[in-house]
Amino acid sequence: MKKILSGIQPSGILTLGNYLGALKNWVEIQNDYECTYFVADLHSITVTQDPKTLHENIKKVIMQYIACGIDPEKNTIFIQSHVHEHAELGWILNNSAYMGELQRMTQFKDKTAKQENDSVKVGLFDYPVLMAADILLYDPDYVPVGEDQRQHLEITRTLGRRFNSTYGEIFKIPDAYISKSGARIMSLQDPSKKMSKSDANPNGFISLLDSKDEIIKKFKRAVTDSENVVKYTENQPGIKNLIDIYACVTDKKIEQIEAEFEGAGYGTFKTAVGEAVADRLEQIQKKYNELNKPENEEFIQSIYTKGAEKAGKYAKPKLEQVYTALGFVL
Ligand code: AQP
């Protein structure tokens, strides 16, 4: 079976963007590939986190994975920092990466646009190198990435090839897994920005655990335009985003949606999108609330403990191979 690997940062409660851009697709492919999914705690500290909240969020991400339909029997689920080889390989790959190529990463540019150089963390700059280590450590065939992460996968491939060309064929060069249904979900308050769980404005994102009322309110407040026509065009980025969301949660085609809301006002359309999203999230929230009970704590712990053991069995010899190739004494 071909191997797939991906992860999500525990920098908050996951969003509809994480679900439609990543988790929904992970669920669809879990029977066809050998899948490994981790919680990217090391990545999350590239932005300052409150330790108590982070601690809770790490476990919540595992529960959200399972609540979204990731089967812990079929997939390997673990916490990134439990497999120390990620950080070690990250350091090694720092010595293959160039400042210039990291400076060109759009996520870095976006996240630091409003910051002075003195407050930009080196970890944030270095994020793509750690991501390359996360991936190359396991020789996956494919990495399912949303449109927003494509550039980071490209640098992973570059670093893998560069290392291989100096030290021998050590890493498999993975391909992007392009899902049929994946979409880039944008902020409800600023459709030029992607929906992010760390957005300071909670109206910009739908959290997987928002109540039905909150979801509908957030969609009603979504920034649109004054055209008042439900049409899928670049000139109406807010409406385009809502159509994308509606299409993903209902599995309807764009043309079908345009026809369904022909002549209807934005109010009607926004409510319909909110209702459809809330319906879709209802089952996930039910499962999540079940898992989030004290009696299930051990079960969750056993999933990530077993996951780290399994991941470590691959990561340890791979890192040893890297150390040997570099000339280190084992
Ligand atoms: N808005 C989005 N649309 C589509 N896919 C998305 N993903 C995230 N946001 C969207 C997909 O989720 C996976 C991992 O996300 P992550 O949380 O590890 O990092 P991120 O991409 O930086 O997501 P956030 O929510 O924006 O995190 P913060 O706010 O902490 O920076 C990836 O597969 C990504 O494509």
Side-chain angles (χ1 to χ4, degrees):
M1 237 186 207
K2 297 264 189 201
K3 292 201 296 183
I4 286 229
L5 175 122
S6 197
I8 298 187
Q9 299 183 66
S11 39
I13 301 298
L14 306 191
T15 69
L16 187 64
N18 293 129
Y19 177 64
L20 297 178
L23 280 157
K24 180 173 174 268
N25 306 318
W26 297 0
V27 173
E28 283 163 12
I29 58 181
Q30 64 184 338
N31 292 322
D32 304 323
Y33 297 91
E34 185 190 325
C35 302
T36 302
Y37 299 118
F38 61 95
V39 182
D41 55 349
L42 293 174
H43 283 280
S44 71
I45 58 162
T46 52
V47 173
T48 307
Q49 304 287 337
D50 168 58
K52 196 165 169 279
T53 313
L54 178 63
H55 187 86
E56 290 306 313
N57 280 343
I58 292 169
K59 290 186 269 180
K60 284 181 183 172
V61 171
I62 307 256
M63 291 189 276
Q64 287 169 88
Y65 279 1
I66 301 169
C68 285
I70 304 290
D71 182 345
E73 294 292 321
K74 288 189 188 142
N75 304 276
T76 304
I77 300 173
F78 72 98
I79 298 170
Q80 185 188 24
S81 64
H82 289 187
V83 182
H84 59 82
E85 284 83 1
H86 288 242
E88 288 177 56
L89 183 60
W91 175 253
I92 302 295
L93 293 177
N94 270 333
N95 301 290
S96 293
Y98 301 124
M99 297 287 287
E101 57 196 356
L102 295 182
Q103 265 155 355
R104 286 193 288 276
M105 294 293 112
T106 19
Q107 177 171 295
F108 176 72
K109 286 197 269 185
D110 288 350
K111 289 202 169 173
T112 55
K114 293 192 193 86
Q115 291 180 42
E116 293 298 324
N117 234 355
D118 275 354
S119 65
V120 174
K121 294 192 170 135
V122 174
L124 190 59
F125 179 69
D126 203 26
Y127 181 112
V129 180
L130 180 58
M131 178 167 157
D134 298 333
I135 297 170
L136 296 173
L137 204 47
Y138 298 97
D139 294 323
D141 298 279
Y142 300 108
V143 180
V145 283
E147 268 307 316
D148 57 309
Q149 289 287 351
R150 205 179 265 271
Q151 206 185 18
H152 288 167
L153 182 63
E154 218 26 72
I155 201 158
T156 297
R157 289 164 52 84
T158 303
L159 294 180
R161 280 201 207 99
R162 197 174 289 154
F163 194 92
N164 284 352
S165 75
T166 313
Y167 298 104
E169 287 300 305
I170 305 233
F171 299 123
K172 176 172 238 160
I173 308 302
D175 286 312
Y177 180 86
I178 313 291
S179 107
K180 282 166 253 136
S181 54
R184 185 166 192 223
I185 306 301
M186 311 309 279
S187 156
L188 299 183
Q189 289 297 308
D190 177 358
S192 69
K193 268 181 23 194
K194 78 165 185 163
M195 183 180 282
S196 254
K197 58 179 122 57
S198 56
D199 189 338
N201 180 357
N203 286 321
F205 60 88
I206 301 292
S207 138
L208 294 190
L209 304 180
D210 278 346
S211 70
K212 183 167 186 171
D213 274 2
E214 280 170 306
I215 294 172
I216 292 176
K217 257 191 220 140
K218 286 185 184 181
F219 276 108
K220 280 194 174 153
R221 289 191 194 123
V223 169
T224 48
D225 52 66
S226 52
E227 301 283 323
N228 222 23
V229 193
V230 179
K231 198 155 178 39
Y232 196 78
T233 124
E234 295 300 332
N235 301 330
Q236 293 174 251
I239 287 294
K240 180 171 176 276
N241 187 36
L242 297 188
I243 296 179
D244 273 331
I245 293 174
Y246 193 64
C248 281
V249 294
T250 59
D251 293 323
K252 289 181 183 169
K253 300 249 174 319
I254 307 285
E255 309 79 58
Q256 208 181 337
I257 297 169
E258 287 176 335
E260 185 180 340
F261 293 97
E262 199 181 342
Y266 284 173
T268 311
F269 177 53
K270 286 175 169 181
T271 307
V273 181
E275 300 261 358
V277 169
D279 283 354
R280 183 69 184 240
L281 297 188
E282 193 187 335
Q283 281 308 312
I284 295 175
Q285 295 181 356
K286 214 167 140 208
K287 181 97 191 274
Y288 175 85
N289 291 332
E290 244 338 279
L291 290 166
N292 192 24
K293 288 186 174 155
E295 63 263 34
N296 282 324
E297 221 170 282
E298 255 179 53
F299 167 65
I300 300 298
Q301 194 181 357
S302 72
I303 290 170
Y304 63 72
T305 309
K306 267 192 245 154
E309 269 168 28
K310 195 165 169 211
K313 282 200 180 120
Y314 202 92
K316 187 172 187 284
K318 179 54 94 181
L319 188 68
E320 282 175 1
Q321 208 186 338
V322 170
Y323 281 175
T324 304
L326 286 162
F328 288 6
V329 176
L330 293 187

